[in-house]
Amino acid sequence: MLNNLKIGVRLAIGFGIAILFLIAVSVVGVIRLGSIGAATDSMVNDRMPKIIMADDIRTNVLTMARAIRNVILSSDKAYEKKQIEVIQQARKENSALFEQLKPLINTPKGKELFASMSAVRDKYNAALDAMLPLADSASPTHNSDKATAFLFGEYTTVANAYVDGTKAFADFQQQNADQAGKEAAATVASAKTLMLVLAAIAILLAVGLALLITRSITGPVNAVVGAARKMAAGDFKFELR
């Protein structure tokens, strides 16, 4: 078949097939890199911010727990005021964090865990509101004994539930981030294998086509050279094909 084609056409076919495989390798690389980029973007811009915010909420809950304990134990009104300000700031930060988190939740399980965390947060805030007047010595309803009992009773129960809820939410986001990482690693491995296979096929085809094209060119040339030698020797009994 190649013998019936011009040399330029033969070379064009060989280079064209090699270029097609190079394009295939490039396309596979671009597509797989896109998948890896999407997985990385999910981890960096979606999962990790949620994990960080959930951890910040939990840290604020623990901060409030220490502060309310300090208010109960202290007899210094100025110190109590500072601790109450710490509590107010932590509550304000948590409110802002919940507002930031809510529109970012995009899975049924994530929404379920967020709703559970929000519900226990409401209970926690109600318990804190009930305990603060008992703990604050500047309050007309101050009662250290009742505040202490409340601290080790209802408050501890809802505070632990609040911490557990934020941990469950953060753990779920961490699992998703880990899964995205595994998928990215699998994509890299499969892309590497596929690109190596395509490259190997391209090399084999290029070598094979080079040999065929070379033979299709040198064969007729050798035949003409041989005929010329026979003619020079006075032998005209040959046939060129």
Side-chain angles (χ1 to χ4, degrees):
M1 177 181 174
L2 289 175
N3 292 334
N4 297 326
L5 300 174
K6 294 181 179 179
I7 293 176
V9 175
R10 299 176 198 175
L11 293 173
I13 291 174
F15 281 117
I17 292 175
I19 290 171
L20 285 176
F21 271 89
L22 289 175
I23 293 173
V25 171
S26 300
V27 169
V28 169
V30 170
I31 292 174
R32 295 307 174 110
L33 284 174
S35 299
I36 296 169
T40 302
D41 180 72
S42 175
M43 287 188 287
V44 174
N45 298 318
D46 183 59
R47 304 301 180 190
M48 291 309 300
K50 292 175 185 175
I51 294 170
I52 292 171
M53 283 188 277
D55 285 340
D56 287 344
I57 291 171
R58 182 161 66 248
T59 298
N60 285 333
V61 174
L62 297 175
T63 297
M64 287 187 282
R66 287 192 297 269
I68 194 65
R69 179 203 60 193
N70 293 340
V71 171
I72 295 172
L73 294 175
S74 176
S75 58
D76 183 339
K77 285 184 170 54
Y79 179 74
E80 289 178 36
K81 182 180 179 182
K82 288 182 180 179
Q83 293 301 300
I84 291 173
E85 289 174 353
V86 169
I87 293 171
Q88 292 171 342
Q89 180 61 31
R91 292 182 76 172
K92 182 179 178 181
E93 289 177 4
N94 275 0
S95 294
L97 287 167
F98 268 85
E99 289 300 316
Q100 292 175 46
L101 265 176
K102 188 174 182 179
L104 300 178
I105 313 302
N106 47 30
T107 65
K109 181 64 175 179
K111 291 179 180 179
E112 177 186 335
L113 290 171
F114 181 80
S116 176
M117 186 169 60
S118 298
V120 76
R121 170 177 173 251
D122 292 339
K123 293 180 181 179
Y124 173 84
N125 285 337
L128 187 60
D129 287 337
M131 188 168 64
L132 273 173
L134 299 174
D136 184 3
S137 62
S139 169
T141 58
H142 171 252
N143 188 312
S144 180
D145 292 337
K146 287 185 178 180
T148 301
F150 202 106
L151 175 67
F152 291 105
E154 182 179 344
Y155 175 83
T156 297
T157 299
V158 295
N160 287 339
Y162 195 0
V163 169
D164 291 342
T166 58
K167 186 177 185 303
F169 179 83
D171 287 346
F172 173 69
Q173 300 303 327
Q174 184 63 58
Q175 290 170 8
N176 287 338
D178 292 342
Q179 182 61 34
K182 291 177 182 178
E183 290 175 357
T187 299
V188 170
S190 63
K192 181 179 179 181
T193 300
L194 185 55
M195 291 174 72
L196 287 174
V197 169
L198 288 174
I201 293 173
I203 291 171
L204 291 174
L205 279 175
V207 171
L209 285 169
L211 290 174
L212 287 175
I213 293 172
T214 299
R215 288 179 181 177
S216 70
I217 295 172
T218 59
V221 170
N222 289 335
V224 171
V225 171
R229 287 175 178 172
K230 289 182 178 180
M231 292 173 62
D235 182 4
F236 295 92
K237 295 180 181 180
F238 58 86
E239 180 179 354
L240 289 175
R241 296 181 181 179

